[in-house]
Amino acid sequence: MDYLLLKYIHVLGAIVILGTGTGIAFFMLMAHRTQDAAFVARTAGVVVVADLLFTASAVAIQPVTGYLLADMMGVPLGSGWLGLALALYVVAGAFWLPVVWIQMRMRDLARSAAASGQALPQAYHRLYRIWFLCGFPGFGSVMAILWLMIARPAL
C-alpha cells in the first residue's frame, strides 16, 4: 500500500476518534444537564450507535495502519514516542470500553424512567459520574497520542 494513502487513513482514523469522542461527550453532557429522562434516553441511544459505528471502526483501523506505517518507516513498535503512544492507546481503550457499556446502561435507565414518567434514578447519576470521570484519562490519552504522532519527540 502507498505510504501517503496509509498515512491518510491513519490520520483520518485519529480525527474520527477525537471528533466522535468530543461530540459524544458534548451531546451526553448537554442531555444530562436537562434532567429530562426522555431526552437523555434519545441522546444516549444515538451516542451508543455513533460510538459503535464510528469510534469502534476507527479504533480497529488505528493499530493496523499504525503497525504498517511503523514497519514502512523502520520504527520499532516499543521504542520512544511510538512506544509511549501505544501505551497511551491501551490506557484510552481501558477507559473507552467501560464507557461504551456505561452509555448503554445509562440509555436503558433513562428509557425506563421516561416510560414510567419518573426522574432519572440514582443508578443513572452514579453511572454518569463514572462516565464523566473516565473521560479525562481516556480523552487526555487520545490528545497526547495525537501530539506524539505529530511531534515525534525523541524520548
Side-chain angles (χ1 to χ4, degrees):
M1 180 176 273
D2 178 59
Y3 174 80
L4 287 179
L5 177 60
L6 193 58
K7 189 172 184 178
Y8 174 76
I9 293 167
H10 191 71
V11 170
L12 188 59
I15 291 167
V16 169
I17 290 171
L18 189 62
T20 304
T22 303
I24 283 170
F26 176 77
F27 290 116
M28 283 296 289
L29 175 64
M30 297 311 286
H32 172 78
R33 289 177 45 133
T34 70
Q35 293 298 303
D36 178 338
F39 185 60
V40 169
R42 286 190 305 276
T43 302
V46 171
V47 159
V48 167
V49 170
D51 230 352
L52 294 175
L53 183 63
F54 297 110
T55 311
S57 298
V59 164
I61 289 170
Q62 286 305 98
V64 174
T65 57
Y67 171 78
L68 293 172
L69 284 168
D71 187 54
M72 283 181 171
M73 297 183 325
V75 177
L77 291 179
S79 67
W81 68 269
L82 184 54
L84 180 55
L86 288 170
L88 288 169
Y89 194 76
V90 171
V91 170
F95 284 93
W96 175 69
L97 287 171
V99 159
V100 174
W101 177 85
I102 289 169
Q103 289 169 173
M104 290 176 182
R105 185 73 184 119
M106 288 167 57
R107 174 201 61 200
D108 296 345
L109 289 167
R111 283 179 179 167
S112 294
S116 63
Q118 296 184 352
L120 294 166
Q122 282 304 104
Y124 165 87
H125 291 287
R126 183 177 51 79
L127 288 171
Y128 176 81
R129 286 189 295 275
I130 295 167
W131 175 87
F132 186 83
L133 291 174
C134 283
F136 290 99
F139 190 75
S141 294
V142 171
M143 292 293 290
I145 292 166
L146 189 58
W147 181 83
L148 288 166
M149 285 173 36
I150 293 167
R152 297 184 189 175
L155 300 176

